[in-house]
Amino acid sequence: TVTLGGLQQTYDGSAKAATATSVPTGLSVALTYGGSAAAPVNAGSYTVLATVNDANYTGSADGTLVISKAPATVTLGGLQQTYDGSAKAATATSVPSGLNVVLSYDGSTNRPVNAGSYVVLATVSDANYTGSANGTLVISKATATVALGGLQQTYDGSAKAATATRVPS
């Protein structure tokens, strides 16, 4: 009788081998993973076949080795910005570093332009890692300058108006 163990593992960059025990104990058992003798490294599901390799005994077992994605930490930055007419993006860093992180703003991958608050979701897109973070990107209104003119006028009996110009126009 052959029994498989260690079929649930988590990715850490090293090969993940299943275990096999036999009754009677101590028999040589060969393990293959989808036809290969090499234990898999990456997250995923792998068919495992354990076969007794002994002149006096026969036996086998099969199962599925599942290597789960490892957790990654995602941190958002750049969540406070000021309107200037250009698209604004939050930033995301991951631990481990260098993972691909996809950002969405209120459910869209389009970066927002206008002043307002936008829900940001950062999701790791990697075959071996999983993780996410969320926050709020706030684009503050920009400061406009208003200049008044025509404030010194001479009385002539008609209505007088001041002028106003603004930057940006």
Side-chain angles (χ1 to χ4, degrees):
T1 303
V2 178
T3 303
L4 287 169
L7 296 177
Q8 297 290 325
Q9 299 192 40
T10 301
Y11 173 82
D12 67 2
S14 64
K16 300 295 177 194
T19 60
T21 56
S22 65
V23 176
T25 61
L27 297 177
S28 173
V29 179
L31 292 168
T32 59
Y33 305 89
S36 170
V41 174
N42 294 317
S45 295
Y46 302 89
T47 301
V48 179
L49 178 61
T51 306
V52 171
N53 186 11
D54 188 275
N56 296 310
Y57 291 94
T58 185
S60 65
D62 61 9
T64 302
L65 168 63
V66 176
I67 302 174
S68 301
K69 290 182 177 186
T73 302
V74 179
T75 303
L76 288 169
L79 296 177
Q80 299 290 325
Q81 300 192 37
T82 302
Y83 173 82
D84 66 4
S86 65
K88 302 298 178 193
T91 60
T93 56
S94 65
V95 175
S97 65
L99 297 177
N100 183 41
V101 178
V102 177
L103 295 169
S104 68
Y105 307 89
D106 287 345
S108 170
T109 55
N110 295 328
R111 296 179 298 163
V113 174
N114 296 319
S117 295
Y118 303 88
V119 174
V120 179
L121 178 61
T123 306
V124 171
S125 177
D126 188 271
N128 292 313
Y129 290 93
T130 184
S132 65
N134 59 52
T136 302
L137 169 62
V138 176
I139 302 175
S140 301
K141 292 182 179 184
T143 302
T145 303
V146 178
L148 294 173
L151 298 177
Q152 298 292 323
Q153 298 187 29
T154 304
Y155 176 77
D156 65 4
S158 63
K160 303 295 179 198
T163 60
T165 56
R166 61 190 163 113
V167 177
S169 60

